[in-house]
Amino acid sequence: MNYTLHQLQIFLKVVQTQSVTKAAEELHLTQPAVSIQLKNLQDQFDIPLTEVVSRRLCITDFGREIAEIAEKIVSQVEAINFKTMAYKGQLTGKLKISVVSTGKYVMPYFLTDFMKEHPGIELQMDVTNKSKVISSLEKNEVDFALVSILPSNLNIEKLDLLQNNLYLVSNTKTKFKNNKNAQEIFKNMSLIFREKGSGTRQTMERFIERNAIVVEKKMELTSNEAVKQAVIAGLGCSIMPLIGIKNELHNQELQIIPFKGLPIKTTWSLIWLKGKRHSPVSASLLEYMKQDKDRIVKDKFGWYEGS
């Protein structure tokens, strides 16, 4: 047999995602490239690793056993790499962070300099909705999570990073009278929500309920980017975090609609389970964040502060 580490890594990702397409996306490879490597690995076994049932990719029992062994092999190779870096005096290991969808506009800026300073660290950052972020934190699958609404059912510690401001926005082709009020805005326009489990949706629903706003037309989309594009296209309006629409406001694709009670203000916070024993990597990041967060906010978010 002559399988490669690369083939094993690709096969593991296919097993984890149950999809060649999703594996290709997460590995930043083309789908044909993943399929070819999967076939090359399969050609070395007489027993199938995968099978297609009702157009769905399934992992065979044999494939799962091979995946378990492959995971150990990949883990040991990573350990060798980390050990080599450690002997060179570099901080090494994995850093796992789960980030709510809009947090993708925030978290990278707090990580860039730290990751450059410590090239031996392997970053795994999962960007998803709030429900999945909190679930991964609760299961202790990640070192940290970035949220704008703190979970009420978990015993956590936190480090506040940046204020989160949410405004009502529409495309610039939609015209409003000077006396913008809820009845006028929502009579003929749909209000576009994120999916259930989203922190932005939760914030919107609280605001609507607190202000007794009647929304006649509603629409639901499953990502912040999808909501943004729908608003630009004129499908409706939405309450969106300012941090994610900077370019669209500058390019005059979106406009902020003045509205009583807005902006809604929350806080981007890095959170972790109370009492968690941090690895050297996660402890170093936390110390870095505490010392440098003000500098990062000033350098990277100067346009945003005080909005």
Side-chain angles (χ1 to χ4, degrees):
M1 290 191 177
N2 192 31
Y3 45 78
T4 67
L5 179 63
H6 185 53
Q7 289 170 355
L8 295 179
Q9 290 171 325
I10 287 177
F11 177 58
L12 277 175
K13 186 59 68 174
V14 170
V15 172
Q16 291 166 3
T17 60
Q18 301 284 298
S19 165
V20 170
T21 301
K22 291 180 180 178
E25 290 174 357
E26 293 192 16
L27 291 169
H28 305 292
L29 297 171
T30 64
Q31 185 173 332
V34 170
S35 297
I36 289 170
Q37 292 302 320
L38 188 62
K39 181 181 183 302
N40 289 342
L41 179 65
Q42 175 63 78
D43 287 345
Q44 299 180 67
F45 299 97
D46 295 329
I47 307 171
L49 300 170
T50 63
E51 58 186 354
V52 177
V53 179
S54 299
R55 296 185 179 181
R56 186 169 65 90
L57 181 70
C58 298
I59 312 301
T60 65
D61 290 341
F62 176 69
R64 294 194 179 280
E65 291 191 22
I66 295 300
E68 289 180 9
I69 298 171
E71 187 172 13
K72 293 177 182 177
I73 294 172
V74 171
S75 178
Q76 289 300 311
V77 171
E78 290 175 350
I80 291 172
N81 293 335
F82 291 149
K83 185 66 70 176
T84 302
M85 298 295 282
Y87 267 84
K88 292 180 179 179
Q90 298 184 21
L91 186 63
T92 63
K94 289 186 178 181
L95 179 62
K96 298 181 180 180
I97 303 176
S98 190
V99 177
V100 294
S101 298
T102 313
K104 65 177 175 284
Y105 301 110
V106 177
M107 198 70 227
Y109 294 99
F110 284 91
L111 293 173
T112 300
D113 290 344
F114 179 78
M115 295 300 297
K116 288 180 179 178
E117 185 178 345
H118 303 289
I121 293 175
E122 179 184 333
L123 174 64
Q124 295 181 356
M125 189 170 76
D126 182 34
V127 180
T128 183
N129 68 31
K130 185 191 173 210
S131 294
K132 293 179 180 178
V133 168
I134 299 306
S135 175
S136 64
L137 186 71
E138 186 175 18
K139 294 175 182 177
N140 200 29
E141 295 173 344
V142 295
D143 298 302
F144 301 106
L146 181 72
V147 296
S148 60
I149 301 175
L150 297 177
S152 57
N153 60 335
L154 283 182
N155 197 6
I156 61 166
E157 297 181 72
K158 70 183 178 76
L159 177 64
D160 292 339
L161 300 180
L162 184 71
Q163 185 170 282
N164 183 36
N165 301 327
L166 296 95
Y167 291 86
L168 181 65
V169 297
S170 75
N171 70 0
T172 50
K173 294 180 180 179
T174 304
K175 305 300 179 183
F176 299 93
K177 296 178 182 178
N178 291 330
N179 58 331
K180 302 177 180 70
N181 57 64
Q183 183 176 356
E184 174 196 338
I185 292 172
F186 299 125
K187 183 176 182 180
N188 297 311
M189 289 189 70
S190 295
L191 183 60
I192 305 175
F193 290 80
R194 284 283 307 278
E195 78 283 4
K196 292 186 185 301
S198 159
T200 299
R201 179 180 180 129
Q202 186 178 343
T203 300
M204 287 176 62
E205 289 177 335
R206 286 178 180 174
F207 177 78
I208 290 168
E209 182 179 357
R210 186 167 60 247
N211 292 276
I213 298 172
V214 177
V215 180
E216 297 182 13
K217 300 178 181 180
K218 298 180 181 179
M219 191 180 301
E220 179 180 305
L221 299 176
T222 57
S223 75
N224 191 69
E225 191 62 31
V227 172
K228 184 195 302 184
Q229 294 304 320
V231 174
I232 291 173
L235 283 175
C237 58
S238 187
I239 295 176
M240 302 191 70
L242 179 64
I243 198 80
I245 57 175
K246 173 188 176 184
N247 292 336
E248 289 74 19
L249 290 172
H250 181 266
N251 296 334
Q252 297 185 339
E253 295 175 296
L254 292 177
Q255 63 176 324
I256 292 175
I257 307 170
F259 197 92
K260 184 179 179 180
L262 295 178
I264 304 169
K265 296 186 177 182
T266 60
T267 302
W268 289 110
S269 299
L270 191 73
I271 63 174
W272 60 95
L273 292 176
K274 189 174 181 64
K276 181 177 177 60
R277 296 180 62 182
H278 289 292
S279 68
V281 169
S282 60
S284 295
L285 175 65
L286 188 56
E287 185 61 30
Y288 165 80
M289 290 278 208
K290 289 177 179 177
Q291 292 182 0
D292 283 45
K293 68 167 187 169
D294 291 341
R295 174 189 62 81
I296 296 170
V297 169
K298 182 180 178 181
D299 290 349
K300 306 299 184 182
F301 301 98
W303 65 272
Y304 178 83
E305 283 291 276
S307 58

